[in-house]
Amino acid sequence: MNYKLKAAPTALSKEQNSQEQPKANRIDIGVDAHLKSYQAARKIDNGAVGVAQRFGSKEALLLYALKQREQAKQVTVVYEAGPLGFTLYRELKAMGIECLVCAPRSEQQKRKRRKNNPIDARTLTGDLSNYLNGNEQALQLVRIPTEAQEQARIESRQHDALVKERKHLGAMGNALLLSQGYGSWSNWWGPKSFERLSQAVAPWIVKHLGRWVGILRELDQQITQAKVKLSQQWQGPRPKGMGAPSLAQLNAEVLDWNRYSNRRKIGCLAGMVPSEWSTGEGQ
């Protein structure tokens, strides 16, 4: 009985302390995302960047981020855009956690004596802190498309990937014909072209080219279908000289024309505006 009476105030005081303990104003978390693991480092207010922690799954990382939200008024996460897409961004936003996605750092910025996943996570955390403190050059943010915009962009890029693959396979067959003295054949895999080709070249060449004919004709059909779908995505008037598929693809990449206040910025998006590289007297 005496033990319980003495222990009760101690337990009560711990509970009061936990309730009265002030939360941090801000926790910044940099995440180095990979297929099989995630490295995350955090920075609490004005403290130093902590040691990176490894998480074996995205679910474990999300749970960690959720716990950080209980310890701070504001939690912000950043990771680099890459093949894993924007699923992590959308899941964090659904949990009420602010998330930013930045462009991967250039090779010149990465050129250091040491590089590994924990270092990358800690560097991202430091860059995020600098960005949130007002240094807009610390991070180059990526615009996050809506799910509908992302699907339209994937449709556009799939069309381009099919065209690229057809060109690659077609060039392989054409190179074989050129190397054997038969000249260049445009669209040699077409039904009529291949029929004439079979009568004009050696049988062993026809055998090798025949391996790709079915694939190339299937690619032709897929490209035609993809182009029809792109045409259906654009409604309304078109500038002179531009077809509906081209406008649909351009719109899928730009996402929002209102982001650009002048023509020069649109030119920068297409890589058509040169960048200055000056130091000292050199320009």
Side-chain angles (χ1 to χ4, degrees), residues 99-252:
C99 183
L100 304 176
V101 182
C102 67
R105 287 167 294 153
S106 65
E107 289 302 320
Q108 183 167 8
Q109 291 175 308
K110 291 182 178 180
R111 200 173 296 151
K112 299 178 181 178
R113 187 168 179 268
R114 289 185 65 206
K115 179 191 179 302
N116 54 39
N117 296 338
I119 290 177
D120 289 345
R122 299 183 77 246
T123 301
L124 278 171
T125 305
D127 291 344
L128 172 62
S129 178
N130 292 334
Y131 178 83
L132 295 177
N133 287 336
N135 182 4
E136 296 182 354
Q137 303 299 320
L139 290 175
Q140 183 181 354
L141 297 186
V142 171
R143 178 174 173 79
I144 310 299
T146 65
E147 293 190 32
Q149 288 174 332
E150 188 174 15
Q151 290 174 12
R153 189 164 65 184
I154 289 174
E155 188 76 32
S156 169
R157 293 180 178 179
Q158 285 288 316
H159 168 271
D160 290 347
L162 291 170
V163 172
K164 183 178 180 180
E165 190 64 22
R166 182 181 64 180
K167 287 182 178 179
H168 173 67
L169 295 177
M172 287 176 57
N174 205 43
L176 175 59
L177 292 168
L178 283 169
S179 68
Q180 299 303 310
Y182 292 105
S184 177
W185 291 65
S186 177
N187 295 335
W188 55 264
W189 60 89
K192 293 183 179 179
S193 296
F194 194 71
E195 183 179 354
R196 293 197 306 270
L197 183 67
S198 301
Q199 299 173 1
V201 304
W204 69 272
I205 296 180
V206 176
K207 175 184 175 182
H208 286 294
L209 295 178
R211 295 170 177 167
W212 305 109
V213 169
I215 299 174
L216 284 163
R217 291 178 183 176
E218 176 64 24
L219 285 171
D220 281 340
Q221 294 180 10
Q222 294 293 332
I223 291 168
T224 301
Q225 294 174 9
K227 188 168 291 187
V228 170
K229 290 183 179 180
L230 288 173
S231 300
Q232 294 171 349
Q233 291 178 9
W234 184 266
Q235 303 294 332
R238 303 193 304 268
K240 184 178 180 180
M242 293 197 72
S246 298
L247 283 170
Q249 288 192 289
L250 185 61
N251 200 50

